Each structure stands twice: as C-alpha cells, then as structure tokens.
Amino acid sequence: MSLSSSVSIKPHQPVWLVTGASSGLGLAVAIEATKTAAVFAIGRDQHGLEVAAKAGCRTVQLDLRASADHISAVLADVIKTVGRVDVLVNAAGYILEGAVEETSEQELEDVFTTNVFAPIRLARAVLPHMRQAGSGVIFNVAGIGGFSGSPNAGAYCSSKAALATLTEALQRETGPLGIRVCLVQLGHFRTSFLKAGHRVHTAHRIADYDPVLEPLRKAFNGLNGQQPGDPVKAARALVDVASWGIDKIPHLLALGPDVPAAELNAHEAKRQAMLAFEDITNSTDLEA
C-alpha cells in the first residue's frame, strides 16, 4: 500500500473513498467527485492511479485481495490523515470467464474476494466512523450480471448477486443510524471491463463445454468496445445523486436503460418457472 499526500483538504469539504479508481467507472467517479470533494482514489494499478492523481485525487495503491486486517489498517491510515469519510464508493470488480466446473478453488476465491469480501471489508472499516458521526453514504456497485446465472460467467454473476443481497441487508441495518447505503445496478458501459486484465479466463478448459460456451465467448468479444453506456455520464449521475442528501439518496440506483428490463426479465422467468409447478408448491403444508 502507498498513500499519496499531494492534495490539501478544506475543513468542510466532503471526503470520498473510491475503489476501482485505476480505470472504468471507478476512475470516472473519482475524477467527477473531485469537483466538489476531496477524493481518495483506491486502486491496484499505479498507472491508472496516476490519471486520478493528475485529476486532483489523493491515491491509495491497494490490492483488494489483501486480508481484512490489512484493508482495515490502510483505511485507518486514510481516516487518520483526513479525520473522516463521508462517502465510500465500492466500484472495483472484474469478470471471471469460464464454466463453473472449470473454475478452480483459487479462482473462485479471488473473484469473490474482489467483488464481495473487499467491499464489505471496506464498509466495515468506515462504518464505525460513520456511526460516530451519525451520517455517511456507501455506494456498492453490483450490476446486470447478478440478476441471473449466465453460462460462462457463473462465478462473476454469483459474486454480484451476493454483493447485492449483502447490500440490501446493510441498508436495513444502518439506515436507522443515519447512514445511507445505495445498491448501484450497473448496465453495460464502454469501459475496459471486457478487456484483458479485467476479463480473466479460467486456467482450466474442458472441451465438452466448448459448444455451449463458444457462442458466449464470441458474444463477449463482440460486446467489448461496443457497450452503449457512457461511464462519464454514469459517474456524473452517481455524484449528482450523492449530493441530494442522505434522506433522498435512493436505496437502489439503476445506471443504464438496459438494467430495468434485464432485472424484470429475470424475475419474470423465475416467476413462470415457479407457477409451472404450483400444484407441488402448494402441497407441502401440514394438514389442518
């Protein structure tokens, strides 16, 4: 971990922590937030953090696969430096591509560590300070992939679904304490998400799955660089929503017009599957 110290912080300036700030939405949010806030841009890639630094961010180089104790210590150093945290944006994440059977224990652990455990560890690190202040905002970025389990991306989809469910619980636990937690459901945005480094393939390949997965691999290739969403506009929207005040920030923020349709379609498919066997569903109560 390394922490830069090149940006002064004004007494009443909001303090933001943004993960995934080396690229993509995280970098766009960090840059946008510097217009009104003191931003600590957190990322693993030093080159990306240099972009954030040039935009006026302090930078924290941190591998989110580190232990909970290490992340807590890093955040403690940041909070000691600045005195508080007003907004945490958990935007870091990557996709692991491959069949479930092809996924090794380590690969599964790594994607869940980055996409689920790290956001929760960061939240746990800042929540004591937010509870003491009686205010604070956390944005957890999940996404369209978590609505259903997609072949070729089961580990990723399940990690985003897990983050969404944990976020919903966190909302209900912290809301009465004056803290707002917002689940951001992100659509398809034109970032480096599907490029090498962010799109990781399982090391093991099973040829039997190739007829099933090859069309999806080609679809991923075709979508890369063709996503309809503008990450700068998404960042502006998120930063604008953060300015509304804790009581007005929504619990659920869909970014991208493809998000509502995808979630509704996923729910409708599950509803139809349940109704198809309603006679069995309704046959399991104890007799009166």
Side-chain angles (χ1 to χ4, degrees):
M1 184 278 294
S2 64
L3 171 64
S4 72
S5 57
S6 59
V7 180
S8 61
I9 297 174
K10 299 176 182 177
H12 302 293
Q13 194 175 23
V15 176
W16 285 48
L17 305 183
V18 182
T19 72
S22 298
S23 63
L25 179 67
L27 177 58
V29 168
I31 291 172
E32 182 66 23
T34 58
K35 296 176 181 178
T36 56
V39 178
F40 285 80
I42 301 172
R44 195 171 45 149
D45 176 40
Q46 185 59 45
H47 175 70
L49 290 177
E50 288 172 0
V51 176
K54 290 177 181 177
C57 300
R58 289 190 177 206
T59 61
V60 181
Q61 190 174 6
L62 172 66
D63 188 339
L64 294 180
R65 295 172 299 179
S67 68
D69 288 343
H70 182 69
I71 288 175
S72 180
V74 170
L75 268 290
D77 285 345
V78 172
I79 294 169
K80 182 179 179 181
T81 299
V82 73
R84 68 186 189 280
V85 173
D86 300 295
V87 179
L88 168 64
V89 181
N90 280 310
Y94 72 93
I95 184 169
L96 176 65
E97 184 178 353
V100 172
E101 188 183 352
E102 293 173 333
T103 306
S104 71
E105 288 295 306
Q106 189 61 58
E107 288 168 335
L108 186 64
E109 182 177 331
D110 285 347
V111 76
F112 266 76
T113 296
T114 299
N115 293 357
V116 185
F117 302 150
I120 299 306
R121 288 166 178 169
L122 285 155
R124 287 204 305 259
V126 302
L127 278 169
H129 307 278
M130 290 183 173
R131 285 191 286 103
Q132 185 176 16
S135 67
V137 181
I138 298 174
F139 290 96
N140 282 342
V141 180
I144 202 167
F147 298 153
S148 64
S150 172
N152 201 43
Y156 168 75
C157 293
S158 59
S159 71
K160 287 301 184 180
L163 178 61
T165 302
L166 280 166
T167 299
E168 289 168 353
L170 193 59
Q171 290 169 345
R172 298 181 177 114
E173 293 164 355
T174 61
L177 308 180
I179 299 164
R180 181 68 77 173
V181 180
C182 177
L183 172 61
V184 180
Q185 293 288 23
L186 194 67
H188 295 295
F189 282 82
R190 197 166 300 181
T191 67
S192 58
F193 183 69
L194 290 177
K195 294 181 180 178
H198 296 269
R199 176 185 172 189
V200 178
H201 297 260
T202 57
H204 184 47
R205 291 279 288 270
I206 300 174
D208 288 347
Y209 288 114
D210 285 343
V212 178
L213 302 186
E214 190 57 32
L216 293 161
R217 295 172 189 142
K218 291 179 179 178
F220 283 4
N221 291 337
L223 183 59
N224 182 30
Q226 301 300 316
Q227 300 97 322
D230 182 344
V232 173
K233 289 183 178 179
R236 288 173 183 165
L238 189 151
V239 173
D240 180 54
V241 166
S243 72
W244 291 357
I246 287 176
D247 293 337
K248 294 182 179 180
I249 294 172
H251 286 111
L252 176 62
L253 177 63
L255 289 179
D258 50 346
V259 174
E263 181 154 24
L264 290 174
N265 288 340
H267 280 295
E268 180 59 22
K270 291 173 184 176
R271 189 182 78 88
Q272 292 295 337
M274 288 182 183
L275 293 177
F277 298 95
E278 196 171 10
D279 55 336
I280 296 175
T281 302
N282 295 334
S283 69
T284 57
D285 279 349
L286 291 167
E287 297 295 333

